[in-house]
Amino acid sequence: MANQSVQPLREAGTYRCEGCGYLLALHEGEQLPACPLCGSNKFRHTLFDPRDPFGATVETPAAWTRNSQAPNDPPEWLERLADELASEEGCFLAFESDEGSIERVRLEPGWTRIGRSIAAQLRLDDPTVSRRHALIYVDSAGARILDDRSLNGVFVNGQPVELTELVHGDEIRIGRYRLFFVHGGYAGEETAASTERLVSTPEDAVA
């Protein structure tokens, strides 16, 4: 069983898990945690952003992107939250905070930046999240999510995406966080039907 102890940080930068290839971005003064994906505490410091074509010498292994991001069952609170928002207009992101509370963020029309940067409208301060991780654009036609050249990618219902439309009930993986896209006005059977999509992945889905 992998050692789950926290390691001291030797140098700030990007670290690649030697077990699964997951990437952590450490700031000055932070500790290097165990890998949130496989539990390993063996990391190698990388000098370049693996997604930078001018600096990368190796690509992130595809095994964890293909197999380890499969969506889990929707949390129990998701359907209740959708019922609460049945009379609301607009789009929301909902997730469980580190303290266990259910957070909801209204997505205003236009761009919403998600990442670790203090400039992000939705800040997720964690080594598994890039400073500029994802962008969501909302207009009268709906909502779309864009991978903002993040280290570990953006996953919607278990599939890595560069740009895709969001629909009610979608699960979004950003680092170790599970966020859910909720469209105000859904309730009852509509909510149950939409969340069922998270537990069944089409056989012909592209990894």
Side-chain angles (χ1 to χ4, degrees):
M1 183 174 181
N3 185 355
Q4 299 291 324
S5 61
V6 175
Q7 303 179 47
L9 176 65
R10 297 179 180 177
E11 183 179 356
T14 302
Y15 288 77
R16 180 192 301 275
C17 174
E18 294 185 3
C20 67
Y22 201 85
L23 296 165
L24 297 178
L26 275 292
H27 293 171
E28 195 70 37
E30 289 184 325
Q31 293 179 314
L32 185 64
C35 176
L37 200 64
C38 71
S40 173
N41 63 359
K42 295 182 179 180
F43 287 84
R44 183 180 299 276
H45 184 253
T46 63
L47 297 178
F48 303 106
D49 180 343
R51 307 192 80 183
D52 181 355
F54 298 102
T57 56
V58 294
E59 295 182 356
T60 302
W64 64 265
T65 63
R66 187 170 58 246
N67 301 322
S68 300
Q69 297 290 299
N72 299 319
D73 291 344
E76 295 180 358
W77 54 260
L78 181 59
E79 188 171 344
R80 296 196 304 270
L81 178 62
D83 287 340
E84 293 177 13
L85 297 175
S87 60
E88 297 277 350
E89 295 292 334
C91 303
F92 301 83
L93 286 181
F95 62 99
E96 186 171 353
S97 71
D98 292 336
E99 292 74 31
S101 61
I102 307 305
E103 304 291 333
R104 68 180 79 173
V105 177
R106 180 184 290 274
L107 299 172
E108 301 295 341
W111 292 103
T112 296
R113 186 180 300 280
I114 304 173
R116 201 177 182 193
S117 168
I118 59 173
Q121 283 84 8
L122 175 53
R123 188 183 186 215
L124 302 173
D125 190 10
D126 188 84
T128 62
V129 179
S130 299
R131 291 182 65 254
R132 298 174 56 168
H133 202 111
L135 291 162
I136 293 180
Y137 185 78
V138 175
D139 60 15
S140 59
R144 293 168 291 282
I145 188 167
L146 170 70
D147 184 347
D148 198 11
R149 297 187 73 252
S150 63
L151 287 177
N152 286 312
V154 175
F155 296 80
V156 176
N157 300 329
Q159 299 302 313
V161 300
E162 293 294 332
L163 173 66
T164 192
E165 184 177 357
L166 294 173
V167 299
H168 179 75
D170 277 347
E171 177 193 284
I172 305 165
R173 291 284 186 100
I174 292 180
R176 66 180 179 84
Y177 291 91
R178 295 176 71 199
L179 302 94
F180 294 88
F181 179 73
V182 180
H183 201 298
Y186 279 77
E189 295 181 359
E190 287 180 317
T191 300
S194 63
T195 54
E196 284 178 1
R197 298 188 311 106
L198 301 179
V199 297
S200 60
T201 302
E203 295 181 357
D204 59 349
V206 178

